[in-house]
Amino acid sequence: MGIGKCFKMAMATIWSSKVRSFLTMLGIIIGIAAVIILVSLMGGLTQQLTDMFAEIGTNTIQVSITPRNGKKVDPDEFYKFAEDNKNLVSDVSPYVTVTGTLKCGTENETGSVNGVSESFDKMKMMNVEQGRFIQYSDIASKSKTCVIGTYQEEKFFGKGQAVGKKLKLNGVPLTVVGVFEQKEDSSSVSGDDAVYIPYTTAIKLGKSSVVTVYTVNAVDEEHVEAASSAIKQFLNKKMGDEKYYMVISMKEMIDQMSTMMNSMQTVLVCIAGISLLVGGIGIMNIMLVSVTERTREIGIRKSLGAKQKNIMMQFVIEAGTVSCIGGVIGIILGALVAVGAGKLLLNTTITPSVTSIIVAFSVSVAIGIGFGYLPAKKAAQLNPIDALRYD
């Protein structure tokens, strides 16, 4: 008896006991669907975070310094370092944050304003849609100017009416000289919620003479590691102890994030795999019951000349078919749920990878064959005379 005949018999048996067959498949369906959903969502989340970091710039390096015993790094010193290392560093910007209340007319909001250099918009690939960005003259004169996002524009002024108006920060009026291009949905805490002023003005308003954070751009992604090493050497000479500064690149953050996400994905897939194990045990249990119920049938087939390998093939293929059908249903269900969850939870389109689908299908087939082997072996070893006498 060939494989095709065995498959037809398996389908006939499954169809004759549809409810029992479906319940047998349920563990496989849930397990495969869970694996597809988790792998797809984790992959989509990882890609979304990677894209977000890529927008910031994979050649960006963040520097944080803790002043101690009068030791600090002034902006002029960092600019000189950048000038001396043009082959590694393309841009530098001090980064000073001032928190307080933003107010215009009767509208007010607690938030933060970031003081940066005139090159910060190019470093972060930010486009000014209306007006202009901060200029060197603003830095030099400590001018009270600001560039805002579309969230502040709509909240305080109205669309297209912000440039030239005043926005107060802790009672100090700032003239709006530019509005950024809309990136997201112009809501609070989104990419459109931003206020930038000259870093010299931020130092003055923040009543602090020390800059502790710098944003540095390497000339390209290939020079990020070399630029980071050069910055660390520079800071080590200035601060004397690596405990008082931190240098981390976006590339390093992406690598760390990817490693962490992969570890989480592995753990979650292993947890989901438990349901596959339970599904496999369910298949083995039902197949053992099926062997008992069909003892006389096995006896008749053996008495008519069926060999052990024929009987074994029949039950292994039946178990594999049950698992295979369950796997296909699980893949379809998992893909649909993953796409829907991606839209609802991550607001992005998720496409289950071909690799995960192939692996999931292969695992479902392997589970069916693996857990169907013991019942098939038991059926094949039945004594035909005892089988015919079985009632």
Side-chain angles (χ1 to χ4, degrees):
M1 184 171 62
I3 294 176
K5 181 67 175 177
C6 289
F7 179 73
K8 288 180 180 179
M9 290 178 65
M11 290 301 296
T13 302
I14 292 169
W15 189 252
S16 64
S17 305
K18 292 184 284 293
V19 175
R20 187 171 77 173
S21 298
F22 176 74
L23 293 175
T24 304
M25 298 174 191
L26 200 56
I28 299 296
I29 293 172
I30 293 172
I32 293 296
V35 170
I36 293 290
I37 292 167
L38 290 172
V39 170
S40 299
L41 287 179
M42 292 299 289
L45 181 60
T46 301
Q47 187 60 49
Q48 193 175 50
L49 292 173
T50 301
D51 291 342
M52 183 181 71
F53 280 118
E55 284 183 9
I56 297 173
T58 52
N59 63 330
T60 299
I61 302 168
Q62 292 296 130
V63 179
S64 179
I65 303 167
T66 304
R68 62 159 189 146
N69 300 329
K71 292 183 178 181
K72 59 182 181 177
V73 179
D74 293 325
D76 289 342
E77 293 176 309
F78 221 124
Y79 278 122
K80 186 178 185 308
F81 161 79
E83 186 70 22
D84 294 339
N85 293 272
K86 283 184 176 180
N87 60 319
L88 299 176
V89 176
S90 61
D91 286 297
V92 172
S93 174
Y95 196 90
V96 183
T97 301
V98 181
T99 57
T101 302
L102 293 168
K103 186 176 182 181
C104 180
T106 57
E107 293 286 344
N108 65 82
E109 180 181 58
T110 301
S112 61
V113 172
N114 301 308
V116 296
S117 74
E118 71 280 6
S119 61
F120 191 78
D121 61 330
K122 296 182 183 65
M123 294 173 68
K124 295 294 185 179
M125 295 176 285
M126 303 162 72
N127 297 319
V128 177
E129 188 175 49
Q130 304 168 45
R132 63 173 178 84
F133 192 65
I134 296 163
Q135 298 177 347
Y136 177 74
S137 58
D138 298 319
I139 304 291
S141 63
K142 302 178 184 178
S143 69
K144 295 181 177 63
T145 55
C146 67
V147 183
I148 63 175
T150 52
Y151 168 69
Q152 281 77 20
E153 176 193 29
E154 293 178 9
K155 179 176 178 63
F156 294 113
F157 307 104
K159 190 69 175 176
Q161 301 178 40
V163 177
K165 301 290 180 62
K166 301 288 185 179
L167 178 63
K168 290 184 179 180
L169 171 63
N170 296 333
V172 178
L174 303 171
T175 302
V176 179
V177 296
V179 179
F180 290 114
E181 182 180 67
Q182 183 174 338
K183 295 170 62 178
E184 298 178 25
D185 58 357
S186 297
S187 62
S188 177
V189 201
S190 71
D192 299 315
D193 182 2
V195 179
Y196 291 96
I197 62 177
Y199 75 85
T200 50
T201 305
I203 291 172
K204 184 178 179 181
L205 295 178
K207 298 177 181 178
S208 173
S209 60
V210 180
V211 177
T212 58
V213 178
Y214 291 87
T215 299
V216 182
N217 269 20
V219 291
D220 53 42
E221 192 174 335
E222 285 70 30
H223 288 81
V224 169
E225 190 173 338
S228 296
S229 297
I231 293 169
K232 288 176 182 178
Q233 291 176 10
F234 164 68
L235 293 177
N236 199 48
K237 289 180 182 178
K238 292 293 299 180
M239 305 304 294
D241 194 327
E242 62 181 17
K243 292 188 298 184
Y244 294 93
Y245 63 84
M246 182 177 68
V247 179
I248 185 165
S249 67
M250 290 297 108
K251 191 172 181 296
E252 287 178 305
M253 291 179 68
I254 291 172
D255 291 340
Q256 291 175 7
M257 179 203 68
S258 297
T259 301
M260 180 183 70
M261 296 296 282
N262 288 336
S263 298
M264 287 177 60
Q265 179 174 294
T266 301
V267 172
L268 291 172
V269 168
C270 288
I271 293 172
I274 294 173
S275 60
L276 286 175
L277 179 63
V278 173
I281 293 172
I283 288 175
M284 181 169 64
N285 182 49
I286 294 299
M287 291 305 297
L288 286 170
V289 172
S290 180
V291 168
T292 302
E293 290 177 346
R294 295 158 65 185
T295 300
R296 285 182 62 82
E297 175 194 330
I298 295 167
I300 292 170
R301 290 192 61 209
K302 279 200 164 190
S303 66
L304 292 175
K307 298 179 180 179
Q308 283 195 9
K309 65 177 183 179
N310 300 128
I311 302 296
M312 193 163 184
M313 181 187 296
Q314 177 188 345
F315 282 91
V316 167
I317 289 177
E318 186 174 321
T321 302
V322 170
S323 184
C324 181
I325 294 172
V328 171
I329 296 172
I331 288 169
I332 295 171
L333 178 64
L336 292 174
V337 173
V339 172
K343 288 287 187 183
L344 294 174
L345 302 178
L346 303 179
N347 194 28
T348 186
T349 301
I350 288 179
T351 304
S353 68
V354 176
T355 302
S356 65
I357 291 174
I358 292 173
V359 170
F361 182 77
S362 301
V363 168
S364 66
V365 174
I367 284 175
I369 294 173
F371 282 89
Y373 176 79
L374 182 62
K377 187 176 181 180
K378 179 182 177 182
Q381 292 178 343
L382 282 175
N383 187 299
I385 296 175
D386 292 337
L388 288 169
R389 289 175 178 173
Y390 183 81
D391 187 4

